[in-house]
Amino acid sequence: MAVDALDAGASGILTYNSEMSDLRVAARRVMNGDNYVQPDMAMDIFAKLRQAEAKRKEAERLRLTARESQVVRHLMQGMTNGQISVELNISEKTVKHYVGSLKDKFGAANRLEVVLEAQRLGV
């Protein structure tokens, strides 16, 4: 949640159990144009940022082609190969080729694992 707040533009983050002195320090820093994160929250924020960066790098490493990305999006919608072929105006055999390529790239045994891995990576 704290990372989401920072991404949304928050300049300071405190918890409900913060002391009044923490609130004063945070208010002064934010009013001076700085940011403030309560120290006990900082480690959690850094951990979440590291996780997000690791996912981004892993997704980047996959280097999906534009067509593979389209096929993944349709798989995530639960479409069959036949439905995907109609939607993308390609043959069903070509869809099967892309699904196989995606299984290889994701290290997946089946379509469901492709979808689960794509969701995990935020592809």
Side-chain angles (χ1 to χ4, degrees), residues 2 5-6 9-15 26-27 29-30 34-38 41:
L6 292 170
S11 296
I13 298 178
L14 296 164
T15 61
R29 295 213 26 210
V30 169
D34 292 332
N35 295 318
Y36 181 85
V37 174
Q38 193 167 320
M41 295 180 70

Side-chain angles (χ1 to χ4, degrees), residues 58 62 72 75-76 99 102-123:
E58 192 173 348
L62 292 173
V72 165
L75 288 174
M76 292 172 80
V99 171
L102 290 166
K103 288 193 301 191
D104 289 343
K105 284 187 176 186
F106 284 107
N110 54 49
R111 300 160 65 94
L112 176 60
E113 288 182 9
V114 169
V115 169
L116 293 173
E117 192 63 12
Q119 287 174 335
R120 184 184 73 78
L121 295 173
V123 174

Side-chain angles (χ1 to χ4, degrees), residues 13-102:
I13 298 178
L14 296 164
T15 61
Y16 287 110
N17 59 357
S18 296
E19 299 290 327
M20 185 57 75
S21 60
D22 293 331
L23 180 58
R24 281 191 215 105
V25 169
R28 280 191 201 107
R29 295 213 26 210
V30 169
M31 288 172 54
N32 287 330
D34 292 332
N35 295 318
Y36 181 85
V37 174
Q38 193 167 320
D40 60 341
M41 295 180 70
M43 293 308 292
D44 290 338
I45 291 170
F46 288 130
K48 292 240 189 287
L49 292 173
R50 280 192 295 274
Q51 282 177 341
E53 180 65 10
K55 282 184 181 179
R56 186 194 65 74
K57 284 182 179 178
E58 192 173 348
E60 186 178 285
R61 179 188 55 78
L62 292 173
R63 297 181 196 250
L64 299 182
T65 66
R67 186 62 91 184
E68 287 171 337
S69 295
Q70 291 173 331
V71 171
V72 165
R73 281 194 301 274
H74 291 316
L75 288 174
M76 292 172 80
Q77 294 172 8
M79 297 175 84
T80 65
N81 288 356
Q83 291 168 324
I84 295 170
S85 72
V86 169
E87 190 70 26
L88 298 179
N89 198 30
I90 57 178
S91 75
E92 198 166 336
K93 184 176 180 180
T94 302
V95 173
K96 287 180 185 180
H97 164 77
Y98 283 117
V99 171
S101 173
L102 290 166

